[in-house]
Structure formats: structure tokens, C-alpha cells
């Protein structure tokens, strides 16, 4: 096997390295900077140039090497390269070739190009390791233009009513996707500290983001009436969000496609926006790899692998500690 | 349907009561009358008769979405709602439609007349001409159960805003056995003297649980009734007929044929409020709620059950007397009329007076309350002597004063994800008590924790799953919860031999070590005592 599934993570015996391990190992290849894929305690890290600043920001002083997209690298007897996964800026699928057999660990991915992340590239392989966060046919994303238009309308109506618009979004990826697309002429944009820290890292590496104002203990909220406030999901129900007083609340997440989840979060609005592939995206991505074997990691694994088996793939479920898109998982750097 | 979908979206997008009422009031002002009437009907639990089975809907949806049926079935519990699941899996509509709500309801209502292939054609055409939200609503019209976070109370308030008619008056006009096919918006809502409907009940007056006895003031202003554990019912006797309504405004006359004799004894123009109980005629006292339970869901009652659990109306209030609505008269006066009326009835009439419990002071009453379980009561109802009969749940004049629940500390052993609002959180748990070194499951519980606690336990369940059985996960026995419940009975169907009434998690006992949870013997002792 080119890659094996071990208690520490996805392992390549030919190169003696792990991909996105969840337990400390000597050598870790990291697909992207989200906390469930990029963890503390590895002796050596390898990630794309574009992913590395955020990983360093989150994990602190680590021993990390960088690699360019498409750059071939020999590790032991394995030939390794990183290809864009379209999930968040710098995110990669990791292609591992051993003696002519190619496996791809895709981490998290999104197949539609919305301009912020390097667009997903299908990679020909024999075996493909896929997520299935939204691996059910009920998940179909609307066009981003429509979602953004609805978001702008919501913000504008709240501004006109003298209210803040607080939206919960992941600090890495979703927050910037909103920033890069929203109509900034409507009003000022305030950000939660955890999001602004990530913004600073991404701006420093050249990502064009509109101006934002970090909310601190000294921020006089009244100076920014009608602002769009971007918060981490976990800050949405706490004292941090309450200080904005009269406000309309929303979440931006793929889970918002389900009315039950939206109601449970007790937010006024749910914008269906995900950095993961939807049902069509997962199926088309897998098809494009030409792979015969598919390993399904996190998400609706049992259902999605059964579906793939019926489509003629040699599919199996692999237990991992990846989380996918979760509304309930606090992000590591939320506490300031 | 577009205007109705707009209303639905407006209601769905806010959690604020005032915004909901405003949206609904605006709709009830400007929608066509037939759509208004149907909206009121839908929001008060009325719906067109179902003309197609959900089994067929699932098959057609899976087929149209080009997915296997099993995948549809797997998606359904995750979405938690059949109508929504169908709306989500279908491909986008290729047509559009401007038909109003009432026209779609007529389509749904008439489905029953067609053979399956025609039903299928009609439904597939509908799915293909409606955008997602309207498609979801169309499915809801077929399957029923459109819950959009608007209670009948809020709907009545909005209708009052839209029409300028008083809320209490509207609440009464909306009661009873009407459907949009039997009335009009004008006749039902706007007409000053709606043609008297022999079956029309009054809105029930509901009480809150008493928090603090000291707020009530002098005991002589109050009356106490035992709070019986049966089915709240309103018995309407007019024009020689009788109609029995449940608190959920369901007409349950046929389920309790015992009351058919009452029009022979009780004068027309009489409406009782009381508790339906299974009666022990030999001892002339109520049986436990367990005896009544088999009768609740049955539309027709087998003879054996009629004999084992004969129904009795334990009357505690009189709302209509000699054809007059007397709800505004003081409690004491209504009760006087009630007891005088019941005194005239022969003993074979299945109706008794739920007597007042005399008491001198609150301490004396509190001591009596402790004997509730022995009397098969749930505690007391406290009613102000001069209180009118209000409509809906109101504070001030009536209070429930229930006995404290029974408690047991139990170990969580299985967890299952919730559905609907709680999909992708673990909310349904099975609990066990010790029997020697074994854990014996004895109850499930779903409620009582905060959202934050549910999130915390969900994260824990994911990391501590020992084994999966379909959607059920066996977890490491580690957490102890205090389970509160209202009653306990013998149950041969359960491994533990007991079944609990209204179990819920009252506390997460972080402080309690696993070994100190209660035992099966503790449960059996409770059964002995309270069963």
C-alpha cells in the first residue's frame, strides 16, 4: 500500500511520513491550516508556501519546510507533490507516488472556484482519499453570487434599521471569502480578534482583502453603527456578540442548508456557504481522478462509501479524527 | 403560493415574537380571503386530507433525483423532515407557477381521487414548477405538520391586529369543528353572531406551575382542587347532542362512548371542563393513568377495554350554563352552578364533581400535597375564588402546584442523534442502573440539558463510542445523570421491569462517581412505593 491508515494518521511507509496526523510523529505533511488537519507536536512539518504562514501563526515555533504547488519532492522512495484543493488559501491535496502507483490524500476540498483559494485541480490517481462532510444528496450549494447578494441585502436592511449584522464564520477561509466578496460600500466591517489575526497573516502574504476594524476592549461600538461584524461561530452566543445590542445574527455554513440546524442555532439568517464540496462536487471530483479505489474519511462516511460502491468504485470507510465543517467545534485561537 | 412562501420565509427568519406577529398580521390584511382562511386553518392544525402515502412520495422523489431509495432514506433522518428532504434532493425546477395557496391546496385535496400514475404526474409537475421553499411548503400541505414557530396564540394575536377584533373573541371563534370547506373568512372571523355551532368549545384556561407559595396572599382567597392525572376535556352539550374536546382541540367524542348518555340527563346549553379518568366503579375512585393510557390513541374502543377502563368526567368547571356563557362569573359562582347541576344527576351518569379540598392555611395544604401520589393525584390546582375563566395560559388566578418529581441517578450507556432542530447533536440517551456489576437499561430521556451541555456531551460521545448499532452508539459508561420522572409502573416489556412517566435529565452529576449511581433494587423499591 502506498498509504496506510495508522492510529496516528495516514502513513506512507515508503517515505516514512504521515499526512495530517492527529498524534505526534517525526514527519508530517500538512494539507492545510485548519485545526483538525494541522496539529501540535510534530518534529518536522511540510506544507505549501501559501499555507505555511497560517500554520505557523496557529502552532507557533515549529520546524516547517515549504513546498510550491506542483513541485516534485522525493521523500525516501516516495515521490510527493502538493496540488491545489480549493478549500482555503494554500490548501493542498497531497499526491504520493511509489513505484508507479499514485495515491492522493485530498484533505478537505471544494471544486468550484470562488477566487479566493487556488482552484481545485483534479489529479489522476489509482487511489483517492476523500472527505464526505457533505456527502449526501441533500447538499447542493447555490451559486456564490446569489448567496452574496442575499447577504448584502440582509446587511443593508439591518443597517437601514440601525442594527448591526453579526455573521458567524470560520476564522480561516469562510471569513475571508465573505470579506473578499461582500459589497463594502454598505458600511464598515468589524472583525473578531481571531479572524483579524488570520486576516493579518493572509494580507501579509499578499491576499487582497478590504479594510477591516478589529474589535478590542477599547473599540467604541457606537462609532461603527450599521457595521457588518464577522465573528467566529463560537463567539456568536457569548458576551462578545451581546455587546452589539440590537443586531441581526447569521451563520455562513454548509449546514445552513438544513432548516433544523439553522433553527437550533437560533440565528436570524443562515447563508449556505461552504468551503467543502457539495454532493455534485464530491462525485465529479472523484470521477475526475479516474481512481478505482476510494477511501472515505470524515463526514457521512457510511452512506457515501456505499453509494460509491454502487457506482462501481472499490470504496471503504476509514476512521480518522478529522472534523470537516463543524459549527460546534471551537477554533483554537478564539480565546484572545 | 409565492405570497405564502414570503410569509413563511419572514416567519422562519426571525426568532422574535413581535416580528412574527407583524409579518403574519400584514399577510392577514392583504392576502385573498380564501388564502387567509387556509393559512388560519393550517396554523391551527387543520389540513387537507392526505391523498397520497409518504411511501410513494419517497419513491418518486428518489427516482426524480436519480438516487437509490436507500440513500434517500438515509438522508431523511439527518435532515429530520420528509418534506424538506424531498425539496432538497430534487433537481431544480424547470418551470414556474403563479397559482395561489388555495389552488395548490385544492390540488392536494383532490389527489385522493386519482389513481397512482395520475397522482405521480400531478406531483412531479408540481415539484418541477416550484422553487425550493414553495416546493417544501407544497410537500408540507400533503404530509401535514407544517410547524413554523407560530402558536395558535400568536396567530390569534396577529389576526386581532389585522381585524381589530379582540383576541379572546377571536380565540373562541376559531375553536371547533370547522374547515375552510365548511365556512368562509367572513362567516368564521368577521361575523358578529357566528351561527351557533352546536359543537364549538371554548378556549381552555391553562395554568403555570406555581413558583412561590408566598405570592398568593391569604389562603381564604383561594380554592384547592386535587390535580388529577388524566386527559383534560371539555364536554359540550347542546341541542340534544354531545361533543368532547381534548385540550389539543381534538374532537374525541367517539373515543369515549360512555358520555353518549349525558344528553339524556344534562340540559342543553351546558359545557363542562374537567378531567377524563379511568374509573374504578367498585371503589368509586379513579384508576391510575396507566389504565387510561390504552384508550388515548384508539378511535374505536373494544368492549373489553370499556369494561376494564370505563371513562368518567371529573368536572371542575362550568363554562356554559342554561345556554349562557358564564366564563366571566367568579369561580365560586360557577362552581355553585356546577355542584348543583351534578347533584341532580343519577349515579349512572358518568360525571362526578372534582371536589374542593378544604384547608385552613398553606402549611396544612402543603402537608396534604405530600399525600398526592397515594391518591393518584399530581398535586393541587390552586384557583382564586373570584377568578373568571380566562382563555389560554395566563398567570395570576390559576396555578398548578405539582408534587416534586421522583429522582434517580443513572448511568448513560447509549446515545443517538436527534432529528429536526437537533439533527447532528446527540440528544437521545439511554440510561441504566446497577444490578450487581451489570448496568441494566431502564429509561430513555431526551430533554433537560442546555444547548451547551448537549454540545459538550456530543463531543464526548464522538470520542467515547464503543460500538455502533445503526444510529445508536454504545458509549463508555462514565457519566451519571439525575433523571427526574413523574411516575413509575411495572412493565414486562422492559428488561428492567419498569417504565417511567415523563423521564428527563434534571442534572448532569459531574460530581458523582460512576459506582454511586442508583441500583435496580432502588428502582424496585420506588415501584413498590409509587407504582
Amino acid at each position: 500500500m502506498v498509504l496506510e491508515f495508522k492510529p496516528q494518521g495516514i502513513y506512507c511507509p515508503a517515505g516514512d511520513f504521515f499526512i495530517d496526523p492527529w498524534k505526534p510523529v517525526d514527519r508530517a505533511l500538512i494539507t492545510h491550516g485548519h485545526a483538525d488537519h494541522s496539529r501540535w507536536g510534530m518534529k518536522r512539518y511540510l506544507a505549501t508556501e501559501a499555507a505555511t504562514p497560517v500554520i505557523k501563526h496557529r502552532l507557533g515555533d515549529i520546524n516547517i519546510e515549504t513546498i510550491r504547488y506542483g513541485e516534485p519532492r522525493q521523500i525516501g522512495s516516495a515521490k510527493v507533490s502538493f496540488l491545489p484543493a480549493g478549500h482555503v488559501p494554500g490548501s493542498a491535496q497531497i499526491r504520493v507516488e511509489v513505484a508507479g502507483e499514485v495515491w492522493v490524500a485530498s484533505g478537505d476540498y471544494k471544486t468550484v472556484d470562488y477566487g479566493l483559494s487556488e482552484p481545485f485541480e483534479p489529479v489522476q490517481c489509482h487511489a483517492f482519499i476523500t472527505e464526505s462532510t457533505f456527502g449526501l444528496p441533500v447538499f447542493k450549494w447555490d451559486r456564490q453570487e446569489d448567496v452574496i447578494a442575499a447577504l448584502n441585502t440582509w446587511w443593508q436592511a439591518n443597517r437601514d434599521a440601525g442594527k448591526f449584522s453579526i455573521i458567524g464564520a470560520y476564522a480561516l477561509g469562510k471569513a475571508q471569502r465573505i470579506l473578499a466578496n461582500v459589497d463594502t460600500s454598505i458600511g464598515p466591517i468589524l472583525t473578531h480578534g481571531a479572524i483579524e489575526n488570520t486576516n493579518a497573516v493572509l494580507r501579509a502574504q499578499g491576499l487582497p482583502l478590504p479594510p477591516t476594524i478589529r474589535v478590542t476592549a477599547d473599540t467604541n461600538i457606537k462609532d461603527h453603527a450599521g457595521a457588518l461584524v464577522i465573528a467566529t461561530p463560537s463567539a456568536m452566543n457569548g458576551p462578545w456578540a451581546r455587546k452589539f445590542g440590537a443586531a441581526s445574527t447569521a451563520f455562513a455554513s454548509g449546514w445552513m442548508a438544513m432548516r433544523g440546524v439553522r433553527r437550533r442555532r437560533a440565528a436570524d439568517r443562515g447563508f449556505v456557504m461552504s468551503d467543502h464540496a457539495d454532493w455534485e462536487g464530491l462525485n465529479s471530483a472523484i470521477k475526475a481522478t479516474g481512481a478505482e479505489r476510494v477511501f472515505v474519511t470524515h463526514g457521512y462516511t457510511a452512506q457515501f462509501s456505499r453509494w460509491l460502491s454502487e457506482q462501481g468504485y472499490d470504496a471503504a470507510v476509514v476512521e480518522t479524527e478529522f472534523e470537516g465543517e463543524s459549527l460546534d467545534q471551537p477554533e483554537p485561537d478564539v480565546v484572545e | 403560493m409565492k405570497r405564502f412562501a414570503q410569509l413563511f420565509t419572514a416567519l422562519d427568519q426571525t426568532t422574535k415574537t413581535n416580528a412574527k406577529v407583524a409579518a403574519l398580521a400584514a399577510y392577514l390584511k392583504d392576502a385573498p380571503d380564501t388564502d387567509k382562511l387556509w393559512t388560519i386553518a393550517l396554523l391551527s392544525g387543520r389540513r387537507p386530507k392526505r391523498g397520497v402515502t409518504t411511501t410513494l412520495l419517497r419513491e418518486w422523489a428518489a427516482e426524480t433525483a436519480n438516487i437509490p431509495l436507500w440513500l434517500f432514506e438515509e438522508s431523511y433522518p439527518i435532515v429530520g423532515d420528509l418534506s424538506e428532504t424531498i425539496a432538497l434532493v430534487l433537481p431544480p425546477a424547470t418551470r414556474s407557477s403563479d397559482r395561489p395557496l388555495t389552488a395548490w391546496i385544492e390540488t392536494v385535496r383532490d389527489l385522493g381521487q386519482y389513481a397512482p400514475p395520475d397522482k405521480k404526474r400531478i406531483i412531479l409537475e408540481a415539484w418541477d414548477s416550484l422553487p425550493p421553499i414553495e416546493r417544501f411548503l407544497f410537500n408540507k400541505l400533503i404530509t401535514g405538520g407544517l410547524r413554523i414557530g407560530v402558536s395558535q396564540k400568536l396567530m390569534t394575536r396577529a389576526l386581532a391586529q389585522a381585524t381589530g377584533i379582540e383576541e379572546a373573541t377571536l380565540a373562541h371563534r376559531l375553536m371547533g369543528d370547522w374547515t375552510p370547506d365548511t365556512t368562509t373568512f367572513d362567516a368564521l372571523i368577521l361575523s358578529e353572531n357566528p351561527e351557533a355551532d352546536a359543537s364549538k368549545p371554548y378556549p381552555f384556561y391553562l395554568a403555570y406551575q406555581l413558583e412561590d407559595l408566598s405570592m398568593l396572599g391569604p389562603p381564604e382567597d383561594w380554592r384547592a382542587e386535587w390535580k388529577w392525572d388524566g386527559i383534560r376535556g371539555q364536554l359540550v352539550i347542546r341541542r340534544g347532542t354531545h361533543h368532547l374536546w381534548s385540550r389539543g382541540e381534538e374532537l374525541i367524542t367517539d373515543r369515549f362512548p360512555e358520555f353518549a348518555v349525558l344528553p339524556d340527563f344534562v340540559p342543553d346549553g351546558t359545557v363542562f371542563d374537567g378531567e377524563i379518568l379511568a374509573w374504578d366503579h367498585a371503589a368509586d375512585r379513579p384508576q391510575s393513568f396507566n389504565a387510561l393510557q390504552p384508550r388515548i390513541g384508539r378511535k374505536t374502543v373494544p368492549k373489553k377495554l370499556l369494561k376494564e377502563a370505563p371513562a368518567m368526567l371529573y368536572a371542575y368547571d362550568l363554562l356554559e350554563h342554561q345556554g349562557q356563557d358564564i366564563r366571566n362569573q367568579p369561580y365560586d359562582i360557577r362552581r355553585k352552578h356546577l355542584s348543583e347541576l351534578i347533584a341532580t344527576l343519577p349515579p349512572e351518569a358518568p360525571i362526578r364533581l372534582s371536589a374542593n379540598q378544604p384547608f385552613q392555611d398553606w402549611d396544612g395544604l402543603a402537608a396534604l400535597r405530600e399525600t398526592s401520589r397515594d391518591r393518584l393525584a399530581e398535586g393541587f390546582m390552586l384557583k382564586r375564588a373570584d377568578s373568571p375563566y380566562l382563555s389560554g395560559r395566563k398567570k395570576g388566578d390559576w396555578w398548578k402546584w405539582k408534587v416534586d418529581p421522583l429522582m434517580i441517578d443513572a448511568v448513560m450507556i447509549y446515545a443517538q442523534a436527534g432529528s429536526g432542530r437537533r439533527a447532528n447533536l446527540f440528544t437521545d440517551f439511554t440510561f441504566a442502573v446497577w444490578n450487581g456489576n451489570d448496568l441494566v437499561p431502564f429509561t430513555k430521556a431526551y430533554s433537560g440539558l442546555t444547548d451547551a451541555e448537549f454540545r459538550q456531551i456530543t463531543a464526548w460521545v464522538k470520542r467515547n463510542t464503543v460500538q455502533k448499532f445503526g444510529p445508536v452508539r454504545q458509549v463508555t459508561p462514565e457519566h451519571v445523570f439525575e433523571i427526574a420522572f413523574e411516575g413509575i409502573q411495572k412493565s414486562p416489556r422492559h428488561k428492567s421491569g419498569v417504565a417511567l412517566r415523563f423521564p428527563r435529565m434534571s442534572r448532569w452529576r459531574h460530581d458523582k462517581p460512576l459506582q454511586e449511581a442508583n441500583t435496580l433494587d432502588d428502582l424496585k423499591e420506588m415501584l413498590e412505593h409509587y407504582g
Side-chain angles (χ1 to χ4, degrees):
Chain A
M1 298 250 280
V2 172
L3 295 175
E4 293 172 0
F5 302 99
K6 295 217 166 195
Q8 300 93 323
I10 301 170
Y11 179 65
C12 174
D16 190 22
F17 61 82
F18 285 85
I19 296 173
D20 293 352
W22 43 85
K23 294 224 166 67
V25 299
D26 283 348
R27 189 164 202 174
L29 277 55
I30 303 294
T31 59
H32 65 288
H34 278 147
D36 53 329
H37 292 263
S38 160
R39 299 179 191 243
W40 281 276
M42 317 301 158
K43 283 212 180 110
R44 281 190 292 170
Y45 291 82
L46 177 65
T48 66
E49 288 176 332
T52 295
V54 167
I55 296 173
K56 275 165 113 170
H57 162 67
R58 292 186 160 200
L59 299 186
D61 188 18
I62 53 168
N63 176 7
I64 188 164
E65 252 185 288
T66 64
I67 185 168
R68 288 188 308 276
Y69 283 121
E71 174 191 334
R73 174 107 25 136
Q74 193 73 31
I75 304 179
S77 55
K79 220 165 91 186
V80 171
S81 61
F82 286 50
L83 289 313
H87 176 56
V88 294
S91 68
Q93 312 172 67
I94 299 178
R95 180 186 187 277
V96 183
E97 182 178 341
V98 177
E101 185 173 345
V102 179
W103 286 43
V104 170
S106 58
D108 291 331
Y109 63 93
K110 165 170 97 263
T111 50
V112 185
D113 175 18
Y114 292 128
L116 188 71
S117 308
E118 304 79 1
F120 177 87
E121 269 178 34
V123 186
Q124 287 286 317
C125 58
H126 299 96
F128 186 65
I129 303 173
T130 183
E131 60 148 320
S132 62
T133 306
F134 295 108
L136 288 178
V138 293
F139 296 107
K140 295 172 193 167
W141 309 148
D142 289 334
R143 297 185 315 152
Q144 168 155 293
E145 302 87 280
D146 298 339
V147 178
I148 291 292
L151 199 155
N152 285 335
T153 308
W154 167 72
W155 180 14
Q156 189 140 17
N158 295 332
R159 186 205 63 188
D160 295 347
K163 288 195 283 191
F164 286 97
S165 303
I166 312 180
I167 187 161
Y170 267 16
L172 168 60
K174 201 75 59 68
Q176 292 77 30
R177 193 167 147 194
I178 293 170
L179 279 173
N181 289 287
V182 80
D183 178 0
T184 53
S185 72
I186 297 173
I189 302 174
L190 304 180
T191 49
H192 184 276
I195 291 173
E196 197 51 35
N197 290 345
T198 309
N199 287 348
V201 173
L202 293 173
R203 281 193 186 107
Q205 70 189 74
L207 211 72
L209 293 174
T212 50
I213 303 157
R214 176 194 295 263
V215 177
T216 67
D218 303 328
T219 309
N220 187 359
I221 285 163
K222 291 200 190 79
D223 294 345
H224 311 287
L228 177 67
V229 184
I230 307 184
T232 55
S234 51
M236 288 294 284
N237 294 325
W240 190 89
R242 276 200 291 279
K243 67 187 166 200
F244 291 95
S248 181
T249 54
F251 281 97
S253 166
W255 295 110
M256 292 298 131
M258 292 200 291
R259 189 169 163 249
V261 178
R262 203 163 65 232
R263 282 153 56 104
R264 182 162 58 74
R265 301 310 299 204
D268 296 321
R269 294 294 294 273
F271 295 104
V272 184
M273 188 190 271
S274 181
D275 284 325
H276 294 262
D278 67 0
W279 175 254
E280 297 299 333
L282 290 169
N283 280 289
S284 64
I286 290 165
K287 196 169 178 192
T289 63
E292 282 160 20
R293 297 177 77 178
V294 182
F295 296 93
V296 183
T297 59
H298 47 306
Y300 293 106
T301 49
Q303 296 92 335
F304 193 55
S305 75
R306 180 174 167 193
W307 159 259
L308 290 174
S309 301
E310 289 184 6
Q311 304 306 302
Y313 296 96
D314 176 7
V317 176
V318 177
E319 292 290 338
T320 66
E321 291 189 16
F322 304 139
E323 307 265 357
E325 179 167 334
S326 165
L327 286 169
D328 297 320
Q329 217 56 39
E331 297 196 38
D333 51 351
V334 160
V335 184
E336 294 275 304
Chain B
M1 189 90 109
K2 296 212 183 308
R3 181 71 184 85
F4 186 65
Q6 262 173 27
L7 169 68
F8 170 79
T9 305
L11 295 173
D12 208 39
Q13 282 179 354
T14 181
T15 48
K16 296 176 185 70
T17 306
N18 286 341
K20 286 187 182 190
V21 172
L24 191 52
Y27 176 88
L28 290 171
K29 262 196 187 121
D30 68 15
D33 273 2
T34 52
D35 282 10
K36 278 191 241 181
L37 187 62
W38 262 112
T39 302
I40 293 167
L42 292 169
L43 291 178
S44 57
R46 292 166 174 83
R47 60 183 186 87
K49 208 168 168 230
R50 185 183 293 177
V52 60
T53 63
T54 56
T55 310
L56 287 174
L57 289 177
R58 294 162 195 229
E59 283 169 14
W60 298 338
E63 187 188 315
T64 310
N66 205 10
I67 54 171
L69 187 59
W70 70 261
L71 186 54
F72 180 90
E73 298 293 355
E74 290 275 338
S75 302
Y76 169 30
I78 287 155
V79 176
D81 183 290
L82 182 65
S83 298
E84 188 183 346
T85 311
I86 294 173
L88 289 171
V89 299
L90 293 174
T94 62
R95 288 174 279 182
S96 68
S97 159
D98 286 327
R99 300 177 75 211
L101 173 67
T102 306
W104 282 111
I105 287 178
E106 281 161 3
T107 301
V108 168
R109 186 192 58 196
D110 295 343
L111 276 175
Q113 321 169 2
Y114 297 101
D118 291 318
K119 287 182 192 185
K120 182 176 178 182
R121 177 182 49 76
I122 293 166
I123 287 173
L124 262 48
E125 271 175 30
W127 283 344
D128 193 37
S129 53
L130 294 169
I133 292 174
E134 292 173 48
R135 193 188 263 171
F136 163 74
L137 292 169
F138 172 75
N139 294 339
K140 278 285 177 197
L141 294 177
I142 299 176
T143 59
L146 176 64
R147 271 196 293 271
I148 51 183
V150 177
S151 61
Q152 180 141 3
K153 191 171 157 186
L154 283 194
M155 189 262 285
T156 312
R157 192 184 304 169
L159 192 57
Q161 279 184 15
T163 59
I165 300 170
E166 216 185 301
E167 251 179 80
T169 311
L170 285 172
H172 187 206
R173 287 183 186 171
L174 289 172
M175 300 288 287
D177 196 14
W178 60 273
T179 75
D181 293 327
T182 60
T183 186
T184 63
F185 186 75
D186 267 351
L188 182 75
I189 305 294
L190 302 180
S191 157
E192 285 281 334
N193 291 308
E195 191 187 327
D197 169 353
S199 74
K200 197 183 270 294
Y202 295 97
F204 283 89
Y205 184 7
L206 308 171
Y208 282 95
Q209 171 74 17
L210 180 68
E211 283 145 29
D212 183 7
L213 198 58
S214 67
M215 64 194 265
L216 296 183
E220 51 274 20
D221 293 350
W222 292 85
R223 303 290 174 260
E225 297 163 16
W226 291 102
K227 186 180 184 314
W228 299 105
D229 189 9
I231 306 168
R232 177 95 180 259
Q234 197 178 123
L235 186 67
V236 178
I237 296 173
R238 291 184 194 125
R239 293 189 223 151
T241 64
H242 78 291
H243 292 87
L244 183 64
W245 294 89
S246 74
R247 212 199 78 184
E249 258 193 75
E250 201 183 348
L251 196 53
I252 51 174
T253 315
D254 297 339
R255 300 187 196 181
F256 296 95
E258 289 94 336
F259 299 121
V261 300
L262 282 176
D264 296 344
F265 306 114
V266 179
D268 281 347
T270 303
V271 178
F272 299 103
D273 182 11
E275 200 81 4
I276 302 161
L277 300 168
W279 199 252
D280 179 347
H281 279 277
D284 203 32
R285 53 170 276 171
Q287 300 186 48
S288 82
F289 184 78
N290 309 333
L292 187 67
Q293 204 145 29
R295 295 199 53 172
I296 293 176
R298 311 190 77 113
K299 298 241 155 119
T300 55
V301 199
K303 281 216 179 84
K304 182 164 173 283
L305 204 52
L306 274 177
K307 207 165 167 180
E308 284 172 4
M312 175 69 77
L313 183 72
Y314 230 38
Y316 35 70
D317 216 320
L318 191 66
L319 314 185
E320 188 172 308
H321 182 46
Q322 297 171 345
Q324 298 298 310
D325 174 0
I326 61 165
R327 290 177 298 158
N328 279 328
Q329 295 192 20
Y331 173 83
D332 275 353
I333 303 287
R334 298 196 310 274
R335 288 281 297 193
K336 183 168 162 289
H337 290 311
L338 176 67
S339 53
E340 285 171 4
L341 176 61
I342 289 179
T344 66
L345 302 178
E348 64 266 30
I351 185 163
R352 296 282 184 278
L353 178 70
S354 175
N356 282 141
Q357 173 64 48
F359 65 104
Q360 300 302 320
D361 51 50
W362 293 123
D363 287 347
L365 196 63
L368 270 173
R369 188 179 69 127
E370 296 307 316
T371 67
S372 297
R373 283 211 169 83
D374 298 332
R375 299 165 189 259
L376 299 173
E378 294 181 298
F380 283 120
M381 290 298 303
L382 300 177
K383 299 177 177 176
R384 202 186 283 278
D386 60 2
S387 60
Y389 190 95
L390 302 174
S391 61
R393 200 176 290 281
K394 300 272 158 55
K395 286 192 177 175
D397 284 345
W398 282 22
W399 296 99
K400 293 191 271 203
W401 191 29
K402 292 180 33 167
V403 279
D404 296 329
L406 300 166
M407 305 273 199
I408 195 154
D409 289 328
V411 181
M412 185 210 284
I413 55 168
Y414 299 111
Q416 190 173 353
S419 64
R421 214 175 81 85
R422 313 205 291 183
N424 83 5
L425 269 191
F426 284 93
T427 59
D428 302 4
F429 306 110
T430 303
F431 294 94
V433 284
W434 291 107
N435 184 24
N437 289 325
D438 296 334
L439 282 166
V440 183
F442 71 102
T443 192
K444 286 185 166 196
Y446 316 92
S447 63
L449 298 186
T450 62
D451 275 6
E453 284 175 318
F454 275 128
R455 285 205 280 277
Q456 194 183 344
I457 197 74
T458 295
W460 181 86
V461 167
K462 284 182 184 164
R463 276 182 272 108
N464 292 276
T465 300
V466 180
Q467 222 181 329
K468 291 184 189 173
F469 308 95
V472 178
R473 292 177 179 224
Q474 184 186 355
V475 298
T476 319
E478 180 177 324
H479 289 294
V480 177
F481 287 81
E482 181 181 79
I483 306 295
F485 54 100
E486 298 302 322
I488 182 166
Q489 56 180 291
K490 234 195 182 119
S491 168
R493 291 215 319 259
H494 294 82
K495 215 190 233 173
S496 60
V498 300
L500 307 188
R501 191 149 142 73
F502 296 141
R504 68 261 180 196
M505 294 165 271
S506 53
R507 208 144 49 103
W508 187 344
R509 296 294 306 259
H510 293 284
D511 57 319
K512 195 133 206 183
L514 180 63
Q515 296 307 328
E516 289 179 25
N518 283 97
T519 64
L520 190 58
D521 286 340
D522 297 336
L523 261 186
K524 284 182 176 158
E525 200 174 306
M526 286 174 134
L527 180 65
E528 190 84 0
H529 207 117
Y530 304 110

